[in-house]
Every structure is written in C-alpha cells, then in structure tokens.
Amino acid sequence: KEVGSNLFRSGRMQLAMQRYKKVIELFSHIDNFNEENKGKAKDLKKVCELNLAACLIKVKDFSQARTSCDNVLKDDAQNVKALFRKAQAEFGLKNFDESMRIAKKVVEVDPQNKEARGLYKDAHVEQKKVDHQAKGLFAKMCEGLGKGPIPEPGKKVAPMDEDFDDEDDAELPATTANTPAEGTEDKLSGEASEAAPAP
C-alpha cells in the first residue's frame, strides 16, 4: 500500500494501479484469517480500492473507477471517499444526473465537503448544456414533421421509382411481340401489294 501511495504521488499511475490490484487480490480471500486480522485486511483492501479508483480517475478509466467505488460501497454505503470518487467517475462518463445525485449524497453525509459541492455545480452546468442541446435537436425533429406531401384520404400513394422500373421491364416484351420486326413489315406489305394488282 505504501509503495502504491508513493508511486501515486510521483505520478506513476500504472505502477501504482498494479500495486493496489495486487493487494486487493491478496486480500480477496480472507476466510481463514482470525477476526482481528480479517478486520485489518478488509480495511486495507478498502483503502487500496479507493486509491485504485483515484488512479483510474487520473488515467480517465471512469468505468473501472466506478466499479472500484461500488466494491467499497457494498460494505460501506456511506463511505464519503467512495461516494465522491464514484460521483467523479459518473461525471467523467457524462452521467451528469447520476453524478449530481451522488455528490448531493456526499454533501448530506459531509456538509463541509467543498469538492463535492463544486462537483455538484459542475455536473449541474453540464446537465443544463446537455438538456439545451437535446431540446434544440428535438425542436428540429419536430419542425421537420408534416413538411412532406400529404396524400388525400382514399388516394393511392405514388409508387417508388423501383416499382416503375419493374413495370417497364414487364411491359417491354409485350409491346415488342405485338409490333412486327423491321423487314417483316416490308415483306408483308410487299406481298399484299403484289397480291392486289393481280386482277
């Protein structure tokens, strides 16, 4: 834990995360520990999960940071650090409503927490921007409604271009079958004209 903390302070996040993960993994199976050591192991694991979450937020892996915070909150639902870091992770994931909800919970547990108040305000501002963009997008979508041609009731809608192509192809052989080919017309008219002068 101490090595991880020193690495974190010196900005070596990847190495710090590896250390914290090793400690968490080491203390994941504490069933055969005596009661006193079980408590110490759980506390150490909790601290490492919180420090891991801080590292993950620094490297912008917000989804994993949220998971680490959830691991702590399973056993300690009012843990201020876990709640605050989860609010930060939700903010990073652009879940501003959730971030505001959690930051508000932090302030309820710790009314003097200025960072949580600041995060709440930031999330509120960002959520207003998202709402404004969504409102504009929705307005544009609604503007487009009803601008196309509206067929009168009882009339058929004009077929698409593809339908026309199919009909043209179907009619083409029928038309050529009824019209005599070039040359045959001359022969027929020639035969008819030869037959007529005979009387």
Side-chain angles (χ1 to χ4, degrees):
K1 178 199 160 233
E2 290 303 320
V3 173
S5 298
N6 291 333
L7 289 167
F8 179 81
R9 282 189 213 104
S10 64
R12 298 173 76 186
M13 297 301 155
Q14 295 298 329
L15 289 172
M17 287 190 299
Q18 286 175 2
R19 287 288 181 168
Y20 292 133
K21 285 177 184 176
K22 278 183 183 177
V23 174
I24 291 164
E25 189 179 317
L26 183 67
F27 291 121
S28 291
H29 309 289
I30 55 173
D31 297 336
N32 55 356
F33 284 28
N34 65 33
E35 286 306 313
E36 183 186 337
N37 288 341
K38 261 187 192 177
K40 288 179 183 177
K42 278 185 178 179
D43 288 343
L44 187 58
K45 183 181 174 190
K46 184 194 315 181
V47 169
C48 287
E49 283 280 12
L50 290 170
N51 291 348
L52 177 62
C55 289
L56 289 164
I57 288 168
K58 287 270 188 194
V59 298
K60 298 188 183 332
D61 188 350
F62 301 113
S63 181
Q64 286 298 315
R66 178 174 58 187
T67 302
S68 284
C69 293
D70 285 339
N71 291 340
V72 173
L73 293 168
K74 274 186 233 171
D75 298 325
D76 184 4
Q78 299 298 312
N79 187 297
V80 175
K81 281 187 178 181
L83 287 168
F84 179 69
R85 289 183 183 155
K86 184 173 181 180
Q88 287 179 307
E90 294 292 357
F91 185 89
L93 291 167
K94 301 192 185 321
N95 299 333
F96 302 119
D97 276 339
E98 186 66 11
S99 180
M100 285 174 14
R101 187 187 68 76
I102 298 169
K104 188 175 180 182
K105 200 172 182 180
V106 172
V107 172
E108 287 169 5
V109 175
D110 180 13
Q112 302 305 315
N113 195 321
K114 290 179 182 176
E115 288 177 322
R117 289 177 185 274
L119 181 62
Y120 180 87
K121 286 179 184 175
D122 292 345
H124 188 70
V125 167
E126 292 300 319
Q127 186 59 48
K128 276 189 171 183
K129 287 180 187 175
V130 169
D131 292 345
H132 184 70
Q133 288 172 346
K135 186 178 176 183
L137 180 66
F138 185 69
K140 283 182 183 176
M141 287 170 55
C142 289
E143 273 179 25
L145 292 176
K147 287 199 173 182
I150 301 172
E152 291 181 31
K155 283 193 173 180
K156 264 188 156 180
V157 180
M160 300 295 281
D161 291 340
E162 294 173 5
D163 295 339
F164 283 125
D165 292 343
D166 293 342
E167 288 173 12
D168 291 345
D169 293 344
E171 290 177 12
L172 192 61
T175 339
T176 52
N178 292 343
T179 16
E182 282 184 38
T184 53
E185 189 176 279
D186 295 339
K187 287 180 185 175
L188 289 175
S189 59
E191 288 172 8
S193 58
E194 284 176 15

